[in-house]
Amino acid sequence: MADSQKQSAAAAPSSPSPSPSSMIDAFVGTANMNKEQSQQQDKQQNESEGTAAASQSKSRSKALIKSFSGVEVKPHPPPRTIPTASKPKEGTSMVQGLIQALSGAMVYTDVGNLETNRRLWNRYAEEWHEGDKASRCNTTSSTWVQEMAAHTSKTSKKMPHDTPQHITVVGEEWSSQEDLEEVLHEFLLPYLTPEGVVAEVGVGGGRVAMHVMGKCSSLTCLDISVGMLAKAKAALLAHPAANTVTKLDFVLLGDSSAAASSSSSSSTTTTTTTGSSVQIEYPTHLHSTFDFLYSFDCLVHVDLHTLYQTLHQIRMILKPGGKAFLSTANLLTPAGFRRFAAQVKYTVGGFYFLSPDIVTLLLKKAGLKVLKTSEVPEGFKEFSDDKGPAKGNLYYGRDFLVVVERMERQGGGRGGER
């Protein structure tokens, strides 16, 4: 889910967020806040905001844009020193001394990259509202969505750049439409066929899937966030090709405690799989199923081990010879390094920056052969300014885009290595 604008923390402090409507706090340090705490804080905030709501909304929007544009990340508080007893018992002083010496290196418990992502994107989906609906509901969400879109519009090559007036699908605020369409026309659409069986890993709100509808026989949408999967369902089922030209299925990964809202169409199913906060195994009935799979603007949020595990799962659900389009954050690109240098540490809403050689190695070890990669545009310029418009595609100037094919070992057997 883009420098377009996203930032959060993989490990959160134990203290709850002071304001659940404050997206920057939700994304940068408290993604592991539980639902009960969130509801209580919502109630307290609603009682206290009063006439200050407008100014607070403006400050939240600015903080969110700053967060997602990679300007700064709120650091965790220093770890608490474990005190030693004033009069240690005999035989314990050496152990206590060691604990005290090591306490500076102690860190907060990490709930896991997958679980942190799940909670972050559930919150994002909860706070996100379509522009006209937000206005009628008198919420602040349309404000930060439009602020995010306004920031993104600065990457447009058009002068003057236009800010989208109406965002209807989650994620349209993350990049300019021209950059997205260029990527899809080069790396995704050429691999679709009318009879193709296709999957998206990390469907989010359905931003990319909307471009796939009507161009394949079936589309299976996988995500770890029940909130995002519900947003995708709402958007995709309203498409004219839904379950006519393109059959839709939805898979909620690794969260047995929640299920995506059921569809009114009996031909559309939702599957819930189990898993842990560390690793998810994709449903076995999907193994060797898909002709083509894509995961765009999603894997930028996962750490190295989660990426490697995900690549293995992707290979397993591809047919032999099946192809996939993937994207990761690239430290070696101009916009990629700018974001990296602005971060204090890796965050989920921000990006986990890699380099193409690392990604290529993981792909090979996972049993995926590289067919095509992106290149940084010559003279790339990320943002428009008074000296002229932006130049080159944001995704080419920030990420590593790659098309791969499932490999098979000679003589049969399972590809990939562990």
Side-chain angles (χ1 to χ4, degrees):
M1 324 191 169
D3 189 274
S4 341
Q5 5 276 319
K6 314 173 189 172
Q7 245 166 23
S8 169
S14 58
S15 58
S17 167
S19 173
S21 295
S22 174
M23 298 304 295
I24 184 63
D25 286 340
F27 295 162
V28 179
T30 57
N32 63 342
M33 178 175 59
N34 61 43
K35 184 175 182 181
E36 291 74 18
Q37 290 174 314
S38 176
Q39 291 174 338
Q40 180 61 29
Q41 291 163 351
D42 283 338
K43 180 179 178 181
Q44 294 174 351
Q45 182 181 347
N46 289 338
E47 294 174 349
S48 62
E49 279 189 343
T51 57
S55 60
Q56 289 178 352
S57 173
K58 183 177 180 180
S59 64
R60 291 191 199 104
S61 299
K62 291 182 178 179
L64 180 62
I65 302 309
K66 180 181 290 186
S67 169
F68 273 60
S69 60
V71 177
E72 65 179 23
V73 179
K74 181 180 178 181
H76 289 301
R80 180 170 57 89
T81 301
I82 300 177
T84 58
S86 57
K87 295 182 179 180
K89 295 181 180 180
E90 186 177 357
T92 64
S93 58
M94 183 172 66
V95 174
Q96 291 176 335
L98 179 62
I99 292 175
Q100 185 173 27
L102 294 177
S103 64
M106 298 181 71
V107 297
Y108 292 96
T109 301
D110 190 347
V111 298
N113 182 263
L114 287 171
E115 183 60 26
T116 305
N117 264 290
R118 187 193 320 282
R119 297 177 184 184
L120 165 65
W121 298 115
N122 277 338
R123 174 55 62 87
Y124 194 101
E126 179 184 342
E127 294 282 346
W128 193 98
H129 296 276
E130 188 176 331
D132 59 346
K133 294 179 181 178
S135 298
R136 291 197 299 268
C137 296
N138 195 29
T139 68
T140 61
S141 294
S142 61
T143 301
W144 64 260
V145 170
Q146 288 298 328
E147 287 279 350
M148 193 178 292
H151 177 81
T152 296
S153 68
K154 297 177 183 178
T155 65
S156 173
K157 268 58 72 179
K158 299 177 182 178
M159 290 293 284
H161 46 264
D162 297 325
T163 301
Q165 297 299 312
H166 187 63
I167 304 296
T168 59
V169 177
V170 176
E172 289 180 342
E173 65 272 19
W174 296 338
S175 72
S176 69
Q177 190 67 17
E178 59 194 292
D179 283 349
L180 175 63
E181 290 182 354
E182 181 181 359
V183 169
L184 299 186
H185 279 286
E186 182 174 358
F187 285 88
L188 192 154
L189 298 181
Y191 300 95
L192 300 179
T193 61
E195 66 278 3
V197 180
V198 179
E200 178 173 7
V201 172
V203 67
R207 174 179 65 138
V208 178
M210 291 290 285
H211 295 265
V212 176
M213 294 295 294
K215 300 179 177 66
C216 57
S217 66
S218 70
L219 175 61
T220 299
C221 305
L222 303 94
D223 208 291
I224 62 172
S225 165
V226 64
M228 283 296 191
L229 208 59
K231 293 288 188 184
K233 268 194 169 184
L236 297 177
L237 289 175
H239 194 284
N243 294 319
T244 54
V245 179
T246 302
K247 180 181 181 297
L248 286 169
D249 288 302
F250 299 87
V251 178
L252 178 61
L253 295 169
D255 188 0
S256 58
S257 63
S261 57
S262 60
S263 164
S264 58
S265 171
S266 59
S267 60
T268 302
T269 61
T270 298
T271 302
T272 302
T273 70
T274 58
S276 68
S277 63
V278 178
Q279 186 172 358
I280 293 174
E281 293 186 359
Y282 292 6
T284 55
H285 74 271
L286 295 180
H287 287 186
S288 300
T289 294
F290 300 105
D291 301 300
F292 182 70
L293 177 152
Y294 62 96
S295 183
F296 177 63
D297 223 6
C298 169
L299 299 177
V300 295
H301 300 292
V302 303
D303 61 29
L304 196 60
H305 288 84
T306 302
L307 174 62
Y308 185 47
Q309 294 156 4
T310 302
L311 294 178
H312 272 281
Q313 296 299 315
I314 285 174
R315 184 200 171 276
M316 292 177 69
I317 64 176
L318 283 173
K319 290 179 179 178
K323 296 176 176 60
F325 163 47
L326 312 169
S327 69
T328 58
N330 186 356
L331 181 65
L332 303 185
T333 57
F337 190 83
R338 180 194 67 78
R339 272 196 70 125
F340 168 79
Q343 290 180 334
V344 174
K345 66 186 294 292
Y346 158 65
T347 65
V348 170
F351 290 163
Y352 193 99
F353 289 95
L354 303 171
S355 59
D357 57 336
I358 294 175
V359 176
T360 301
L361 174 64
L362 295 184
L363 290 168
K364 179 180 178 181
K365 295 295 185 180
L368 297 167
K369 177 184 178 181
V370 174
L371 301 179
K372 179 179 180 176
T373 61
S374 61
E375 295 183 359
V376 178
E378 183 177 354
F380 173 77
K381 180 183 176 184
E382 186 175 0
F383 298 110
S384 298
D385 54 28
D386 54 4
K387 297 180 180 179
K391 183 178 180 180
N393 191 297
L394 169 66
Y395 289 109
Y396 299 160
R398 190 197 66 199
D399 298 342
F400 177 58
L401 311 184
V402 58
V403 176
V404 298
E405 181 179 15
R406 171 174 165 170
M407 294 191 299
E408 301 299 318
R409 286 180 175 175
Q410 292 184 352
R414 178 181 175 181
E417 305 176 23
R418 284 289 188 181

